[in-house]
Amino acid sequence: MALAYLSPSYANTQLHLHSSQLSFLSTHLSFHRRHSLRPLPRTRNARISCSVASNEAPVAVQAQDQKIKPECFGVFCTTYDLKAEEETKSWKKLINIAVSGAAGMISNHLLFKLAAGEVFGPDQPIAFKLLGSERSFQALEGVAMELEDSLFPLLREVSIGIDPYEVFQDVEWALLIGAKPRGPGMERADLLDINGQIFAEQGKALNAVASRNVKVMVVGNPCNTNALICMKNAPNIPAKNFHALTRLDENRAKCQLALKAGVFYDKVSNVTIWGNHSTTQVPDFLNARINGLPVKEVIKDIKWLEEEFTEKVQKRGGVLIQKWGRSSAASTAVSIVDAMKSLVTPTPEGDWFSSGVYTTGNPYGVAEGIVFSMPCRSKGDGDYELVKDVIFDEYLLKRITKTEAELLAEKRCVAHLTGEGIAFCDLPEDTMLPGEM
Amino acid sequence: MALAYLSPSYANTQLHLHSSQLSFLSTHLSFHRRHSLRPLPRTRNARISCSVASNEAPVAVQAQDQKIKPECFGVFCTTYDLKAEEETKSWKKLINIAVSGAAGMISNHLLFKLAAGEVFGPDQPIAFKLLGSERSFQALEGVAMELEDSLFPLLREVSIGIDPYEVFQDVEWALLIGAKPRGPGMERADLLDINGQIFAEQGKALNAVASRNVKVMVVGNPCNTNALICMKNAPNIPAKNFHALTRLDENRAKCQLALKAGVFYDKVSNVTIWGNHSTTQVPDFLNARINGLPVKEVIKDIKWLEEEFTEKVQKRGGVLIQKWGRSSAASTAVSIVDAMKSLVTPTPEGDWFSSGVYTTGNPYGVAEGIVFSMPCRSKGDGDYELVKDVIFDEYLLKRITKTEAELLAEKRCVAHLTGEGIAFCDLPEDTMLPGEM
């Protein structure tokens, strides 16, 4: 299956100004329409392209007159001078955290963990900027009410909104969880395009209004390529600041190695997920360690490592849906907490963690210009460096090459969204992980 | 509407031995049947009564041959010697926490908070004993898988089971969240009976196998009377150890007072919820304080306090369902964490917290022998004392009398489950809180 999309160079860049003639187009156009009221950001990706291949059902544009400024919510509308109070005067400066898809189940776990201080500790006050859609706006209010009823001492501001240009104002973290699920009969290429447009828009908004050093964690699938699109639309934010979440895969890989070796998972270290958050991902048992020893010295069953381990990691989400009837929102939220913690606390000596990051300048020979999960270490300052002392064998390299090829194909598929010309989509097979939508 | 139930004295105590003839009876009978294989516990409430008024739909008894011993799960089946390891040798002794309704949404939030150390801190290893039903057993496996995938260092054991006599073995905390929701056309009296039987059974199981000082927190509704039933069926456990959760009501009351006063909720203290977790509950603004001052000195709008405040607290759950489409699982879980923390950390000087506890010996003149939410203080040892320096006025006393009357009526309604003779049910109106089932 091959699809070609128009690049912005060929698209009518003024399309959104005439969109009242195009009522069949879906809700995200309504955002474009609003943005036409503000000056277009002056970046090389400023022109907004509109996919003609969207097979999303048309949705009536609701609440056109609704106030789009993010609204503070309830008790969070009060202004607090933390430095003036005995209990809070030693606290750090308030940190702004944006969360998209804030009315969804992953966020519902994540927000309550962040507000309880799980990532930033007991002296870091937090402001949430929750991004939803017109359709989910009431649900956002419900989430804000529950946060209010929870009396978290650290949570000092909650605002909710549907316009990323408002919600992302000054944010230091952007946790991009919201994405459209794949509808019936939708190809991965269609999903890449539909979600790609959301992430292009959010990238532009981050570029225009977020903190200049905002850390962006993309969870919505396909997360690697969504992160790439987001980054390419935010040229004023360091490319290094964009992450695609592969931490749940890493956690699951650690768990499976622990299970096989009959040890607790705190004995498993140095686990890398290489590549894409898809079925081509490579959980690396060559560099991983159990009790400080190479995995192969502990788990002698090479057949299991080579033929069953990866599948066990990948099928976890599908098995969970079968058992539990829902997707793994709680453990995904835990893995987002883990991924954030890994950037704000120093990595334990000798260990590392996986994150989908930009490949340009990587020491492994992975193709440049894509977002690829690789082993990272952090000093705890929000930044990271790639780990150099990893080894490769033929088995590992072959698999890394395959996931790299997939990400390069995905990249070609969204060229119209990254400002790199005419998109050409030729994805050979469905590589969505089971249990994810 | 009045219903009479047979007391155990009149019921055929051997009924469960012949239950194969009674296939129309619902699944909890299958538990009774199993228990007939073990010696009946020697307590004054040992005889199991079987309500004839149950209007539950018959459910096919599944998986009769399924192993009923609680099963350890995955990596948690490994045994760990925490004292032998550098990182964990300074840790406290493993604590056993049972959770019923473990496959439900409240538990799904709660378990991940407990496992992250939110209640007991970073040096308290935890073992979860998850109680489900035959029907939810697969979902329990899913929950255990997600806990495993989350790599919580403190969570060292997870076992799952459907027999409370197995699951409650040696537990130091029992968080009883599971309860049957009210079906269409079901009266509150029917709900009291159906859930009462579950809690009678669980009380017997706790009495037989739990730690002699187990703390029991009842969340499943109607939680006050369920807690009473549970306690009455566990005579060897101190009555003081049984709690019915009214902390979400307290949290919501604090939030509403903060909103009205235009302050952050950490300025609101000394809030009591008196009585039943139902619409007769009494959020007390007479004793509550804002910035250390009596509420009435800060909020001069007496009409709001007397006529709107209570309703705002009580309608919160219903509004949330309207907005968010789901019941308030996340904030309920937070309030359970708060309630547990209040018992294991010293109460801040001059403040208190609310919990539904046994009234016998209370200093307020509340009728003895019921579970009634009252103001408590704790030294942080798991125990509490009732606060003495509270004041009452006519308005407060009138409302406390009403919620007390309701709890006395509920008690009469479940006399067959507490060993106190023939039940007589005369509940005048539906007092279920909006948004709860």
Side-chain angles (χ1 to χ4, degrees), chain A residues 229-247:
Chain A
I229 293 166
C230 194
M231 174 202 305
K232 289 289 181 185
N233 284 280
N236 298 337
I237 294 166
K240 236 190 149 178
N241 289 19
F242 290 80
H243 296 262
L245 186 81
T246 54
R247 187 58 169 266

Side-chain angles (χ1 to χ4, degrees), chain B residues 63 72 172 193 209 245 318 428:
Chain B
C72 62
E172 280 121 346
D193 179 52
V209 301
L245 186 81

Side-chain angles (χ1 to χ4, degrees), chain B residues 121-321:
Chain B
D123 61 349
Q124 176 60 71
I126 285 171
F128 280 147
K129 316 270 189 175
L130 307 183
L131 180 65
S133 60
E134 280 162 338
R135 200 185 271 190
S136 71
F137 195 80
Q138 281 224 321
L140 278 192
E141 289 183 331
V143 171
M145 281 173 64
E146 274 212 89
L147 287 167
E148 205 178 42
D149 285 344
S150 297
L151 313 183
F152 292 114
L154 293 168
L155 185 61
R156 294 289 165 152
E157 289 179 26
V158 173
S159 56
I160 56 183
I162 56 174
D163 178 349
Y165 284 84
E166 300 283 354
V167 174
F168 291 164
Q169 192 78 44
D170 299 323
V171 298
E172 280 121 346
W173 283 86
L175 311 173
L176 305 184
I177 298 169
K180 294 230 186 258
R182 183 159 51 172
M186 198 186 288
E187 301 274 357
R188 188 168 171 93
D190 299 324
L191 193 74
L192 274 165
D193 179 52
I194 288 172
N195 279 319
Q197 290 183 58
I198 294 173
F199 285 88
E201 179 71 13
Q202 293 183 359
K204 288 183 177 67
L206 287 167
N207 198 56
V209 301
S211 158
R212 293 303 81 190
N213 198 25
V214 60
K215 304 295 184 290
V216 184
M217 181 86 59
V218 177
V219 179
N221 281 318
C223 65
N224 292 56
T225 298
N226 287 342
L228 179 73
I229 293 166
C230 193
M231 173 202 305
K232 289 288 180 186
N233 285 278
N236 298 337
I237 295 167
K240 234 190 151 178
N241 289 19
F242 291 79
H243 296 262
L245 186 81
T246 54
R247 187 58 168 266
L248 181 57
D249 307 303
E250 179 188 322
N251 288 356
R252 286 173 171 170
K254 280 185 171 165
C255 177
Q256 291 306 313
L257 290 173
L259 269 168
K260 181 71 178 173
V263 299
F264 196 58
Y265 31 56
D266 63 352
K267 301 291 169 271
V268 185
S269 64
N270 304 83
V271 172
T272 312
I273 302 293
W274 295 96
N276 203 1
H277 178 70
S278 77
T279 58
T280 66
Q281 69 178 206
V282 187
D284 174 356
F285 53 82
L286 181 65
N287 291 286
R289 291 178 172 263
I290 295 175
N291 279 317
L293 296 169
V295 162
K296 281 180 168 179
E297 291 180 25
V298 180
I299 299 172
K300 309 281 190 180
D301 185 350
I302 301 297
K303 191 172 150 62
W304 182 87
L305 285 171
E306 293 193 347
E307 291 170 27
E308 292 180 44
F309 167 58
T310 300
E311 198 183 46
K312 276 194 183 289
V313 172
Q314 293 180 353
K315 287 212 168 153
R316 194 79 173 166
V319 174
L320 218 136
I321 287 221

Side-chain angles (χ1 to χ4, degrees), chain A residues 70 72 76 80 82 92-100 111 114-115 119-120 124-131 154-160 164 166-176 206 209-217 340 344:
Chain A
C72 64
F76 303 111
Y80 316 105
L82 297 175
K92 296 176 188 159
K93 191 172 157 285
L94 191 76
I95 196 171
N96 290 307
I97 305 175
V99 181
S100 79
L111 293 170
L114 294 174
V119 170
F120 297 105
Q124 176 60 71
I126 284 171
F128 281 147
K129 316 271 188 175
L130 307 184
L131 180 66
L154 293 168
L155 185 62
R156 293 289 164 152
E157 290 180 25
V158 173
S159 54
I160 57 183
E166 301 283 353
V167 175
F168 291 164
Q169 192 78 45
D170 300 324
V171 298
E172 280 121 344
W173 284 85
L175 311 173
L176 305 183
L206 288 167
V209 301
S211 158
R212 294 303 80 188
N213 198 25
V214 60
K215 303 295 184 290
V216 184
M217 182 87 59
M340 295 174 76
V344 299

Side-chain angles (χ1 to χ4, degrees), chain B residues 37-63:
Chain B
L37 302 172
R38 86 184 72 236
L40 285 172
R42 289 174 218 280
T43 77
R44 65 187 168 92
N45 296 308
R47 287 165 300 189
I48 295 166
S49 100
C50 176
S51 167
V52 291
S54 163
N55 53 8
E56 246 189 307
V59 174
V61 176
Q62 299 159 356

